[in-house]
Amino acid sequence: MSTTDDLTRKRVVESEEFGYWVELPSGLEASPKPLKTHLDERNFSSTQNKKYQYGLTVDPVRIQHLSDFGTPEQVAARVVTAEVNRDGVTSVTLVTDPTEDPTTGAYLLNYLSQGKRGLKHFVTSTIVQNGKLYVLTAQVLEEDYSRPAMEQEIMEAARSFRVRSIP
């Protein structure tokens, strides 16, 4: 994995091994998890706001396309169900209708999760390619997401997420 900051103050995170690439906001630092639970996992936290985080995960799957798992709406329903069943989560609400990027096939989900640790805003970009499930997740407290610059920053990162074909 490599990371660089460019002149537009974006941090490019990429993995040659797993073939993903994403432009994250500058001001993030790697925050490794003590226990690896995915084939590949990268976590980043804001140096200014520890409750503002990004995670990248890669896991093997049997399907070849995300549409084999369902439509964006069906996948969103499964994510909401899984999230609401997490310990400490009391409710989950989709903020916008899920969408599919016509170029990458990524499903973009935007939802709120209410729990013991407050009201968090999540944006995910999910891609299936090369027999793997790639997920980029951004999370931040809702009060921070509601600032227009934060929303724009997160949506730009989610839309920049790419996976190349690996032979």
Side-chain angles (χ1 to χ4, degrees), residues 32-141:
K33 284 179 64 177
L35 180 64
K36 182 178 171 181
T37 58
H38 300 276
L39 185 61
D40 187 41
E41 185 170 10
R42 306 281 187 243
N43 295 291
F44 300 89
S45 295
S46 168
T47 56
Q48 303 295 315
N49 177 354
K50 290 297 180 189
K51 302 219 180 219
Y52 178 29
Q53 305 167 343
Y54 285 84
L56 278 159
T57 60
V58 180
D59 290 295
V61 291
R62 294 183 186 149
I63 60 175
Q64 295 304 308
H65 306 281
L66 193 50
S67 60
D68 296 341
F69 193 63
T71 64
E73 293 79 10
Q74 291 168 328
V75 170
R78 290 177 179 184
V79 168
V80 165
T81 299
E83 185 73 19
V84 82
N85 287 323
R86 290 182 58 211
D87 187 38
V89 174
T90 57
S91 68
V92 179
T93 308
L94 285 174
V95 175
T96 59
D97 289 336
T99 60
E100 180 177 1
D101 183 300
T103 305
T104 65
Y107 289 2
L108 190 68
L109 306 181
N110 189 330
Y111 62 94
L112 292 171
S113 177
Q114 177 69 56
K116 312 189 263 199
R117 296 185 178 140
L119 183 61
K120 292 184 180 178
H121 201 117
F122 288 82
V123 174
T124 66
S125 182
T126 306
I127 300 170
V128 170
Q129 196 165 313
N130 309 317
K132 294 180 181 60
L133 172 68
Y134 297 81
V135 181
L136 170 69
T137 302
Q139 68 172 297
V140 68
L141 291 176

Side-chain angles (χ1 to χ4, degrees), residues 12-36:
V12 175
V13 177
E14 61 186 332
S15 168
E16 286 298 318
E17 180 180 0
F18 295 104
Y20 61 76
W21 181 94
V22 64
E23 247 183 28
L24 297 178
S26 63
L28 299 174
E29 62 184 11
S31 54
K33 284 179 64 177
L35 180 64
K36 182 178 171 181

